[in-house]
Amino acid sequence: MIEIVELGGIGEIAAGDDLAAILRDAIERCALPLRDGDVLVVTQKIVSKAEGRQVNLKEIEPGEPARELSQLTRKDPRMVQLVLDESSEIVRAVPEVLIARHKLGHVMANAGIDRSNIGPSQGARALLLPLDPDATAANLHSALGVPVVISDSFGRPWRLGVVGVAIGAAGIPALDDRRGELDRDERPLEVTQVALADMIASAAGLVAGEGAEGIPAVLVRGCRIEGTPRKAAELVRPRREDLFA
């Protein structure tokens, strides 16, 4: 049975905070001894805050390419400059939409840059993705002794709405390759690779929410975890396999 438990009382996170200690305290307040099958899901937002990834927009001077894209997309030129700085490629730019390939490989709106729920003075600030979310997940996993997924919310091609996905993972096979196994009729699986970390991140979103819920960490219990741990970076489809590039 899967159980999803919110870790409340975490409060606002600031740059330099010891995120592992804060999460350990939250787990202890819930009186939940960790056990096999537990996965700690931590939202990207508090990771980025703890790692000092906030940017003051007043300090951003947009260049000419950013100004041109700003006119096309009708977005703040300072935000567009940040998107260019954080990306390896602009995938699509139309009015109100700017899709970029982030330096981490993720194809996402606005290179994952966010201005919501980032605390006081948020109108003049933006929050960037962590520099290396897999490394952060590994550090938290080592400190807390529980598998960790760092989640973010992505839109999806051809479908409306956002869902939780994993941008960092440690202690679990983020991508569970089941090719070569047999199905119930003893036919070999040929293409089945399970995005396990994404599934867990999405499940956690049922509790963490996408708005003002204020639940930045969730414990997902009862997960079936088998196989060699793999990073969330392995969930990113290689550029050569992008049929829509």
Side-chain angles (χ1 to χ4, degrees):
M1 182 180 69
I2 297 291
E3 183 181 7
I4 307 171
V5 183
E6 68 175 78
L7 301 183
I10 289 178
E12 191 66 36
I13 300 297
D17 282 352
D18 185 341
L19 195 54
I22 291 170
L23 292 168
R24 183 183 296 109
D25 289 345
I27 293 169
E28 291 175 354
R29 280 196 302 272
C30 291
L32 293 173
L34 296 175
R35 62 195 187 201
D36 289 345
D38 286 351
V39 178
L40 177 63
V41 181
V42 184
T43 60
Q44 162 269 323
K45 194 152 291 182
I46 64 169
V47 172
S48 290
K49 288 179 180 180
E51 294 181 355
R53 296 290 284 160
Q54 283 202 48
V55 176
N56 188 341
L57 291 176
K58 295 179 180 178
E59 299 175 357
I60 302 300
E61 181 60 40
E64 189 56 33
R67 294 184 184 278
E68 292 177 0
L69 264 181
S70 171
Q71 291 181 350
L72 173 61
T73 59
R74 303 171 190 161
K75 293 180 176 288
D76 186 328
R78 302 170 299 177
M79 284 288 291
V80 174
Q81 183 62 57
L82 287 177
V83 170
L84 292 175
D85 292 343
E86 290 293 296
S87 304
S88 61
E89 176 187 1
I90 298 300
V91 176
R92 185 71 169 163
V94 297
E96 311 301 337
V97 176
L98 183 56
I99 308 296
R101 190 181 303 276
H102 191 276
K103 291 176 181 177
L104 293 171
H106 308 297
V107 177
M108 56 199 312
N110 305 317
I113 299 170
D114 197 359
R115 297 178 68 178
S116 64
N117 293 324
I118 59 175
S121 302
Q122 64 178 11
R125 294 183 178 273
L127 195 66
L128 312 181
L129 292 187
L131 289 174
D132 189 344
D134 274 324
T136 299
N139 290 336
L140 292 174
H141 172 48
S142 176
L144 300 172
V146 62
V148 172
V149 166
I150 295 175
S151 68
D152 199 359
S153 298
F154 281 22
R156 301 158 296 162
W158 305 292
R159 296 188 66 84
L160 296 175
V162 298
V163 295
V165 301
I167 64 169
I172 64 169
L175 184 66
D176 185 9
D177 191 346
R178 304 190 65 179
R179 292 173 295 182
E181 295 183 19
L182 301 180
D183 68 10
R184 289 182 298 172
D185 300 313
E186 297 190 352
R187 286 189 293 262
L189 302 175
E190 297 180 355
V191 297
T192 304
Q193 298 184 81
V194 179
L196 179 61
D198 282 349
M199 288 181 172
I200 294 171
S202 184
L206 294 171
V207 170
E210 298 292 342
E213 292 85 354
I215 303 170
V218 169
L219 195 64
V220 181
R221 320 203 79 178
C223 298
R224 176 179 174 270
I225 302 173
E226 299 176 354
T228 303
R230 299 174 67 179
K231 297 178 179 180
E234 296 186 48
L235 290 162
V236 177
R237 186 179 295 279
R239 186 71 170 80
R240 64 182 180 277
E241 296 181 10
D242 186 346
L243 300 180
F244 302 94

